[in-house]
């Protein structure tokens, strides 16, 4: 029922060698990503933020319109909320991941 160790001692922290000081997000070593992986992760994060903000905007507009306060157009959810949030997250995430990649490249050179 448990984890079999075959006589070897295991730690819950994994290996303490190469990735000991790198930043991790949900178990992914963010500091060890290459330039393409950094670009892909930053873009995927921005897409997720865009869709999440658009969803929240649609729900807010739906609640606002159903309570009788007005008739807001649903296009505001992505033009005034989703798009700015997506662009902001894209710039921040690519800036952060890019700085980690540049720092790693200058440190290893």
């Amino acid at each position: 029922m448990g984890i079999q160790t075959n006589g070897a001692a295991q730690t819950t922290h994994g290996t303490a060698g190469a990735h000991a000081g790198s930043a991790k997000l949900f178990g992914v070593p963010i500091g060890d990503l290459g330039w393409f992986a950094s670009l892909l992760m930053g873009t995927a994060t921005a897409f997720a933020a865009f869709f999440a903000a658009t969803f929240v905007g649609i729900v807010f507009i739906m609640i606002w319109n159903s309570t009788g306060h007005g008739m807001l157009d649903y296009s505001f959810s992505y033009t005034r909320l989703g798009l700015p949030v997506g662009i902001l997250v894209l710039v921040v995430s690519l800036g952060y991941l890019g700085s980690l990649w540049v720092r790693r490249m200058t440190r290893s050179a």
Side-chain angles (χ1 to χ4, degrees), residues 22-91:
S22 66
K24 290 188 180 206
L25 179 66
F26 299 118
V28 177
I30 300 295
D32 294 336
L33 297 175
W35 69 269
F36 184 72
S38 295
L39 181 69
L40 192 64
M41 290 288 284
T43 306
T45 305
F47 272 110
F50 169 77
F51 289 121
T54 302
F55 173 75
V56 169
I58 288 171
V59 170
F60 174 75
I61 290 173
M62 180 181 62
I63 292 170
W64 183 266
N65 286 342
S66 67
T67 57
H69 290 103
M71 292 301 298
L72 287 176
D73 188 17
Y74 283 103
S75 66
F76 287 138
S77 65
Y78 63 87
T79 57
R80 302 233 176 132
L81 185 65
L83 189 62
V85 167
I87 290 173
L88 177 70
V89 169
L90 181 70
V91 169

